[in-house]
Amino acid sequence: EVQLVESGGGLVKPGGSLRLSCAASGFIFSDPWMSWVRQAPGKGLEWVGRIKSKTDGGTTDYAAPVKGRFTVSRDDSKNTLYLQMDSLKTEDTAVYYCSTLLTFGGVIVMAYWGQGTLVTVSS
Amino acid sequence: DIQMTQSPSSLSASVGDRVTITCRASQTIASYLNWYQQKPGKAPNLLIYAASSLQSGVPSRFSGSGSGTDFTLSISSLQPEDFGTYYCQQSYNTPTFGQGTKVEIK
């Protein structure tokens, strides 16, 4: 069974940093691309960033609001995805989900999701 | 970025009703369109991929259609457990989501 478990959320002051982790099990972690998605309180889903598999180059892409402040990385030996968040702003307050990116019918889908971890940026 | 616009933002329908949600892309995305259902306090769940393919385990009352810029998610006979918020998402390039459609049961 695929399991994704996020951790590392909490309360941080504006301008601070936080690192989220996503521990994966039930599949070969090195195979799929992985992604972070966030959801501000009472709001919709917002894609944050993704990292390709090492086989596909291991490169990263980011949404405009977080580019230059957030970094997605992966440690395939530890079956773990990371999100390093620097220069945090109050508008980064959200539940952060990790998800696997798989190709179904030629289309990339967010097939499996973790339960999410809450990040609150407040003074 | 490709903008995704859903309508309506919310709806209330009775058990057994047919429900339709639309999603429009700001540029053509072929069939690179997925639908997710999210229940309060839970992670989203994949319903439909590639515009019209039903994810394994999803009830057949759910269906998707469309290509290019206009897409539709339909529920043929609304059930009590179908409450929640539905999101479309394009994967033509870096992902973007629609703003969501909240479905309530009358």
Side-chain angles (χ1 to χ4, degrees):
Chain A
E1 179 194 3
V2 171
Q3 276 202 318
L4 299 170
V5 179
E6 300 94 337
S7 61
L11 176 63
V12 60
K13 288 181 168 50
S17 298
L18 207 59
R19 189 178 82 156
L20 306 184
S21 299
C22 170
S25 61
F27 64 101
I28 300 173
F29 180 73
S30 59
D31 281 352
W33 300 8
M34 298 292 294
S35 187
W36 289 95
V37 174
R38 68 183 180 183
Q39 186 168 37
K43 302 297 185 183
L45 301 171
E46 180 185 26
W47 175 73
V48 171
R50 70 182 178 194
I51 185 166
K52 297 180 180 179
S53 62
K54 293 283 193 300
T55 301
D56 290 329
T59 55
T60 53
D61 298 290
Y62 299 95
V66 308
K67 196 169 185 178
R69 300 188 298 123
F70 288 14
T71 303
V72 179
S73 62
R74 64 192 299 161
D75 186 335
D76 292 343
S77 68
K78 294 183 177 179
N79 290 349
T80 302
L81 176 73
Y82 301 100
L83 179 65
Q84 177 67 41
M85 303 185 292
D86 298 321
S87 304
L88 282 161
K89 305 175 180 180
T90 55
E91 53 263 40
D92 295 320
T93 294
V95 173
Y96 285 74
Y97 297 98
C98 64
S99 71
T100 60
L101 298 175
L102 301 178
T103 301
F104 288 2
V107 175
I108 297 174
V109 306
M110 298 177 191
Y112 300 99
W113 297 69
Q115 84 290 349
T117 187
L118 176 62
V119 173
T120 303
V121 184
S122 174
S123 53
Chain B
D1 286 0
I2 298 175
Q3 308 304 316
M4 307 300 293
T5 304
Q6 287 181 235
S7 62
S9 297
S10 65
L11 65 90
S12 181
S14 299
V15 172
D17 284 353
R18 181 177 182 85
V19 167
T20 299
I21 299 168
T22 64
C23 177
R24 174 165 287 177
S26 60
Q27 67 181 72
T28 183
I29 58 170
S31 295
Y32 291 85
L33 191 283
N34 307 312
W35 290 97
Y36 301 84
Q37 177 196 59
Q38 186 181 33
K39 297 198 173 179
K42 300 293 187 181
N45 182 49
L46 177 67
L47 296 177
I48 301 283
Y49 62 92
S52 60
S53 296
L54 194 67
Q55 168 64 343
S56 176
V58 174
S60 59
R61 62 181 179 273
F62 291 92
S63 64
S65 64
S67 66
T69 60
D70 293 311
F71 302 87
T72 299
L73 173 70
S74 296
I75 309 173
S76 61
S77 177
L78 191 67
Q79 298 301 301
E81 61 267 29
D82 297 336
F83 74 93
T85 303
Y86 292 80
Y87 295 92
C88 61
Q89 174 250 322
Q90 63 79 19
S91 53
Y92 185 80
N93 53 26
T94 52
T96 48
F97 290 92
Q99 80 279 15
T101 296
K102 186 174 184 179
V103 174
E104 295 178 331
I105 310 296
K106 278 184 186 173

